[in-house]
Amino acid sequence: LCTLAVWAYEEGTQFQLGQLQLKITSSNTVKVVHGGEEYEKSMPEEEYDGQWDDENVYPYEGDICVYGVRNNYPNLTSVNIPPSVSYNGRIYRVTRIDDYAFFGCSRLTSVIIPNTVEHVGKLSFFGCRSLTSITLPNSVKQIGYEAFSKCESLISINLPTVIEWVGYGIFDGTAYYNSLPNGAIYINDIFYAYKGELPPRSQINIREGTYKIN
């Protein structure tokens, strides 16, 4: 008789690889997570004076709520996300950039995303004001809301052809979105947004093949 020792993965385990924090999501996958501290605060709407322009702000039942991640990778200027990582003798594929992953990383100028990532989470690059361009690999199928919002310098973005779902406001406040002409904006066959104001009784023609109106 012999005893076999089998190491079992523990979902939710977080560990560090270089500058990045990763979290185990299944027996063979991990996601990139933020490296700071989440916070949320609220105040009466009449007291809000716009002093948190670098944060995520929304109205809620007469209050202004402000939330985000503070001290998130404060020295990060560039990142090359690997397609796979090794932890405790097991290989994991990196399949997700999690919500808030690089929130407020104002010094971040370049990001390389591997062709294993399928989901870019909400607010994941919010406020990365030094980021000028980004290429999403053809593996990415979903982009969460406001993922690149307030990336002021972001002028170039290459989007994959397999995107199935996008949240609202993913490019708000970017040079890329500001440069687009007014009118219907499509991401592949998704009617993402209408830029500008529509006069009363306007007509919009939804193009052939559209399968989602955001």
Side-chain angles (χ1 to χ4, degrees):
L1 295 177
C2 64
T3 301
L4 296 179
V6 179
W7 181 85
Y9 84 98
E10 185 175 348
E11 189 170 334
T13 297
Q14 187 165 319
F15 61 95
Q16 186 165 349
L17 177 71
Q19 300 180 82
L20 296 180
Q21 294 286 329
L22 298 110
K23 184 175 287 189
I24 295 173
T25 53
S26 77
S27 60
N28 61 2
T29 61
V30 294
K31 61 184 178 181
V32 179
V33 297
H34 67 74
E37 174 190 4
E38 292 188 33
Y39 67 90
E40 183 172 340
K41 52 193 173 187
S42 63
M43 70 206 73
E45 193 166 357
E46 60 271 15
E47 294 181 11
Y48 176 69
D49 60 5
Q51 68 266 44
W52 292 289
D53 283 343
D54 291 336
E55 301 174 279
N56 198 50
V57 180
Y58 69 100
Y60 180 73
E61 295 184 351
D63 286 346
I64 292 293
C65 297
V66 185
Y67 63 94
V69 179
R70 55 169 64 94
N71 299 321
N72 190 24
Y73 301 121
N75 299 316
L76 194 65
T77 58
S78 64
V79 60
N80 186 349
I81 301 172
S84 62
V85 298
S86 176
Y87 178 70
N88 274 3
R90 184 182 288 261
I91 302 296
Y92 296 90
R93 288 189 311 119
V94 180
T95 59
R96 181 182 179 107
I97 298 174
D98 203 27
D99 303 343
Y100 303 99
F102 299 101
F103 185 102
C105 291
S106 59
R107 300 179 63 188
L108 185 64
T109 61
S110 66
V111 179
I112 297 176
I113 300 174
N115 203 35
T116 53
V117 170
E118 300 175 357
H119 182 95
V120 177
K122 68 182 182 183
L123 298 153
S124 50
F125 291 90
F126 181 96
C128 293
R129 61 178 64 180
S130 300
L131 192 62
T132 58
S133 66
I134 193 164
T135 297
L136 298 178
N138 275 330
S139 55
V140 173
K141 298 178 180 178
Q142 298 181 331
I143 304 176
Y145 71 79
E146 297 190 46
F148 300 98
S149 180
K150 294 195 178 181
C151 293
E152 302 166 359
S153 302
L154 186 61
I155 190 63
S156 172
I157 180 162
N158 293 325
L159 296 169
T161 58
V162 296
I163 290 180
E164 299 172 350
W165 184 89
V166 291
Y168 64 82
I170 58 175
F171 302 126
D172 284 3
T174 66
Y176 168 80
Y177 189 77
N178 294 340
S179 70
L180 297 177
N182 286 349
I185 297 174
Y186 273 83
I187 296 177
N188 300 336
D189 290 328
I190 300 171
F191 189 166
Y192 164 68
Y194 187 92
K195 185 181 178 186
E197 289 192 19
L198 277 172
R201 300 184 181 181
S202 295
Q203 175 176 301
I204 299 178
N205 295 319
I206 307 300
R207 76 185 188 191
E208 187 75 21
T210 298
Y211 73 89
K212 183 178 186 296
I213 300 175
N214 227 32

